[in-house]
Amino acid sequence: MASQQVHSGRMSIRLACDTFVISQTCYRYHPKLSTDNALIADWLVRLTQNQRNWGFGLCFLYLRNVKGFTWNHKRVYRIYRELELNLRIKPHKRLIREKPVPLVVPEGINQTWSIDFMHDQLHDGRSIRLFNVIDDFNREALAIDIDFSMPAARVVRSLDQVIEWRGKPLKIRCDNVLNARTFSSDRQSHAVTAICS
């Protein structure tokens, strides 16, 4: 609109810019259309057809470092987007996890015990460990040992105390922290089956 008023001779450039609230620099600007855009587009199309797994970064590095072109990356990327050469982002493949064995409901006490460690922190920042032994039949907590560290000897001693008081179970269910070697090598006399999940 400002240029129409100036060309018709009704206003000066300064008055037209003040009226339409634009700067004189903006009024006098003429875009520099470059013939390199077609060349950039041609190179990008050729590169993406030959190298299908190349994205913008590899194409630009090839043009800059191998071919020696001095084009700005913003300019090359603008043309790259206009040509719609963006690589499709592949979704992550979901891992197929095996379904866990369903928990068997015990029919009486001392058939299956579950043992596990828990972790907590005191107000002063010190960590404590809790060792829990639970009977799966009636969800009774048979032992809860709390200490700042829980070595294997302490775990075995705690299990021995519960076995002396309650009798030994047929199976003990545990996670990967405890393994079957703990029960088979240390406690040969008790012969308890360990289920590690």
Side-chain angles (χ1 to χ4, degrees):
M1 305 245 324
S3 59
Q4 291 175 356
Q5 295 296 325
V6 171
H7 289 303
S8 65
R10 296 182 190 158
M11 291 185 179
S12 66
I13 294 175
R14 186 178 65 80
L15 184 60
C17 291
D18 288 344
T19 304
F20 293 103
V21 192
I22 59 171
S23 66
Q24 292 185 30
T25 307
C26 180
Y27 175 81
R28 290 190 170 95
Y29 175 76
H30 295 288
K32 300 172 184 173
L33 298 176
S34 177
T35 57
D36 287 347
N37 290 352
L39 181 63
I40 294 170
D42 181 50
W43 270 105
L44 287 174
V45 169
R46 280 194 287 166
L47 283 175
T48 52
Q49 285 176 352
N50 292 339
Q51 304 290 336
R52 292 197 176 274
N53 58 347
W54 279 17
F56 167 73
L58 287 175
C59 290
F60 178 73
L61 288 175
Y62 180 82
L63 293 174
R64 171 67 62 94
N65 298 335
V66 176
K67 293 299 179 183
F69 294 115
T70 57
W71 298 315
N72 188 349
H73 71 280
K74 290 181 278 190
R75 178 183 186 186
V76 176
Y77 186 62
R78 178 178 49 81
I79 296 169
Y80 182 83
R81 280 186 307 163
E82 287 172 0
L83 294 172
E84 296 179 354
L85 298 174
N86 294 356
L87 283 177
R88 182 177 65 87
I89 298 174
K90 296 179 183 176
H92 293 291
K93 292 182 180 178
R94 291 181 179 254
L95 296 176
I96 299 172
R97 300 185 187 273
E98 296 180 10
K99 291 183 179 177
V101 179
L103 296 176
V104 178
V105 179
E107 297 173 356
I109 60 172
N110 285 352
Q111 285 188 350
T112 306
W113 289 356
S114 294
I115 61 175
D116 198 10
F117 287 100
M118 293 176 66
H119 171 269
D120 202 357
Q121 240 179 351
L122 298 176
H123 183 67
D124 59 0
R126 293 185 297 171
S127 294
I128 58 171
R129 304 265 298 176
L130 291 87
F131 175 67
N132 302 314
V133 181
I134 297 175
D135 191 340
D136 289 346
F137 175 68
N138 55 1
R139 302 283 190 243
E140 180 183 357
L142 303 177
I144 300 175
D145 284 350
I146 304 169
D147 205 347
F148 292 109
S149 68
M150 196 70 64
R154 176 80 183 267
V155 172
V156 171
R157 187 181 75 203
S158 178
L159 284 174
D160 282 343
Q161 289 173 351
V162 175
I163 288 173
E164 285 176 16
W165 162 66
R166 182 74 180 252
K168 69 176 181 178
L170 297 175
K171 298 175 185 173
I172 292 183
R173 178 176 287 114
C174 59
D175 59 5
N176 291 331
V177 174
L178 300 170
N179 55 25
R181 288 184 294 139
T182 305
F183 302 109
S184 61
S185 63
D186 294 341
R187 300 289 117 200
Q188 293 283 339
S189 60
H190 295 307
V192 174
T193 305
I195 305 169
C196 295
S197 56

